[in-house]
Amino acid sequence: MSAPEPLPGARLLFSADATVAHLNHGAFGMVPIAVQRAQQRLRDEMEGNPHRFFSVGIEERIAHVRRHLAAFVGADPDGTALVENASTGTSIVLGSVPFEAEDEILTTDHGYGAVDLAVAATCRRTGAVHRVVRVPMAPDDAEVTAAVREAITPRTRLVIVDSVTAATARVLPVRRIVQAVREQCGDRAAVHVDAAHAPGILDEPVAQLGADFWVGNLHKWAFAPRGTALLSVAPAWRDRIRSLVLSWSEGAGFPGSLEWVGAHDYTPWLAAPTGLFVLRSLGIETVRRHNAALAEYGQRVVAGALGAEVPATTGLPMTVVPLAPAVSGEPGAVAALRRRIADELGVEVGLTGWRGRALLRLSAQVYNRPEDYQRLAEGLPKLLTR
């Protein structure tokens, strides 16, 4: 297949190091220059008069941004709070659900590692049990839904499901899973959607999913500064949300109790609408089509060079290439290999281990070009044989 045509001028919107092929946008994003400048103006305002910045109208400014961002993801602005990232939102959820000994928290084996760590800590604290549902590498919607449904027991209290899986770059049928949990459990079990990658690439209005909790990052695919995420909470849970940090706003209740924590740097949140402006200026659908096509092109070029078979594409701006079984999927080995690829080839990639297998994850964003993937395809086979 051929690569898509670059979007005119899109590469000039970013300050990325031109000597590096940046193929890991899904990890930390890349903040457009216009958004960097908007945030710097906010920093200048803050440092020019900190007392005024933090004491005159800041909560109203945050609420205004929250309403704007909530509308973008189709969430109820009164039931949505700005938080730093998806991990923070998930920790808030785990701290707000009342677990008893032997209660069960269900995740899939496609879940994010930091979420697993947070679940493990919750289980140590409460006596709850973490159960992991095994799902194939490239499942269809019915397979995923059936696997979750079959894993539910009378002790299930929380089901955590990814809308886009970080390690395997798959889209999971969140709405069907929520429906299955409701049919099995009623209100006995809550559903938390880890939508870290969803804002900007999926058209799934949060309010229509029916989940109890949803958290999504805007710094990955919506061009916001890092440290910008949304936590959406169903009405039945809003009075039970527990803040990780207690501050003067605790009495305000959700969402204000999560958003106002004193001398915090709020400039990423306040600059986030500029990121949406950049995305809309390029054309949201245009960006999605371009990135999905470029990610698929990159996957095929690199897989062809390695002689690897790849799972079916999903229309995402992220794809995976399974590396040979001889390449270790252990965390330390994966981290060392990723560093070697960066240092020796000048290519930043995502690299994870899944069921002991090393998976190369390739992202595509409007600043990428076909030659970025070609550079990796030319150098990676030799690097892996050394």
Side-chain angles (χ1 to χ4, degrees):
M1 64 173 295
S2 59
E5 288 295 320
L7 301 187
R11 200 167 194 172
L12 300 176
L13 299 175
F14 299 86
S15 54
D17 182 349
T19 67
V20 176
H22 302 273
L23 304 182
N24 197 17
H25 186 93
F28 306 108
M30 187 81 74
V31 183
I33 295 170
V35 182
Q36 295 179 43
R37 290 174 176 169
Q39 186 179 7
Q40 187 57 53
R41 288 192 294 270
L42 289 160
R43 289 195 187 105
D44 292 342
E45 177 191 350
M46 178 173 61
E47 299 305 335
N49 190 336
H51 192 279
R52 183 174 183 84
F53 182 87
F54 286 107
S55 62
V56 180
I58 185 65
E59 291 164 318
E60 290 78 9
R61 294 171 74 176
I62 293 170
H64 175 75
V65 167
R66 181 213 313 142
R67 289 191 291 270
H68 187 82
L69 300 181
F72 175 70
V73 299
D76 176 3
D78 294 328
T80 302
L82 280 153
V83 294
E84 285 190 325
N85 51 46
S87 296
T88 299
T90 298
S91 292
I92 292 169
V93 170
L94 289 168
S96 299
V97 176
F99 297 106
E100 298 179 358
E102 304 305 320
D103 283 348
E104 295 174 352
I105 304 172
L106 258 59
T107 65
T108 77
D109 61 353
H110 289 247
Y112 189 54
V115 171
D116 289 339
L117 292 174
V119 170
T122 301
C123 291
R124 289 193 297 270
R125 174 174 56 83
T126 65
V129 177
H130 182 196
R131 296 184 59 228
V132 179
V133 182
R134 287 175 67 88
V135 176
M137 163 71 82
D140 61 33
D141 290 356
E143 285 180 298
V144 181
T145 306
V148 173
R149 185 192 294 273
E150 292 169 6
I152 293 171
T153 76
R155 299 298 304 182
T156 303
R157 294 293 177 267
L158 181 66
V159 177
I160 302 177
V161 60
D162 299 64
S163 58
V164 177
T165 64
T168 54
R170 311 306 300 178
V171 179
L172 300 187
V174 170
R175 194 178 307 189
R176 290 180 60 170
I177 292 171
V178 171
Q179 183 179 358
V181 174
R182 293 285 179 261
E183 291 171 355
Q184 291 280 102
C185 306
D187 294 331
R188 172 171 53 82
V191 180
H192 172 49
V193 178
D194 181 353
H197 288 273
I201 62 174
L202 290 186
D203 265 334
E204 282 187 332
V206 174
Q208 296 180 16
L209 297 177
D212 299 277
F213 311 101
W214 177 99
V215 65
N217 293 322
L218 283 94
H219 71 262
K220 293 181 181 289
W221 303 100
F223 293 154
R226 294 169 201 90
T228 306
L230 292 172
L231 172 64
S232 187
V233 178
W237 285 97
R238 292 172 191 173
D239 291 340
R240 292 182 273 178
I241 290 294
R242 297 179 181 175
S243 307
L244 295 179
V245 179
L246 300 183
S247 73
W248 291 106
S249 65
E250 187 63 21
F254 182 86
S257 59
L258 299 186
E259 293 176 337
W260 175 251
V261 290
H264 176 77
D265 184 0
Y266 300 101
T267 62
W269 299 353
L270 298 178
T274 305
L276 295 187
F277 176 81
V278 173
L279 180 59
R280 286 171 170 142
S281 297
L282 291 169
I284 296 176
E285 289 303 322
T286 299
V287 169
R288 287 174 178 165
R289 286 193 300 270
H290 171 274
N291 291 349
L294 187 57
E296 183 177 357
Y297 170 82
Q299 180 191 44
R300 294 193 179 281
V301 167
V302 175
L306 296 175
E309 293 186 8
V310 297
T313 56
T314 58
L316 293 175
M318 296 191 300
T319 55
V320 296
V321 177
L323 299 184
V327 180
S328 174
E330 293 302 311
V334 163
L337 177 57
R338 189 197 64 78
R339 192 68 265 156
R340 284 185 61 207
I341 294 171
D343 291 344
E344 297 180 30
L345 303 183
V347 183
E348 296 288 355
V349 298
L351 200 62
T352 59
W354 186 75
R355 294 188 185 177
R357 185 81 178 268
L359 299 181
L360 177 70
R361 191 187 72 185
L362 302 174
S363 296
Q365 189 48 274
V366 294
Y367 52 75
N368 289 125
R369 294 292 184 269
E371 52 265 33
D372 296 334
Y373 306 91
Q374 293 161 6
R375 182 198 300 191
L376 180 62
E378 291 168 3
L380 187 57
K382 294 179 181 178
L383 184 148
L384 291 175
T385 61
R386 290 201 299 275

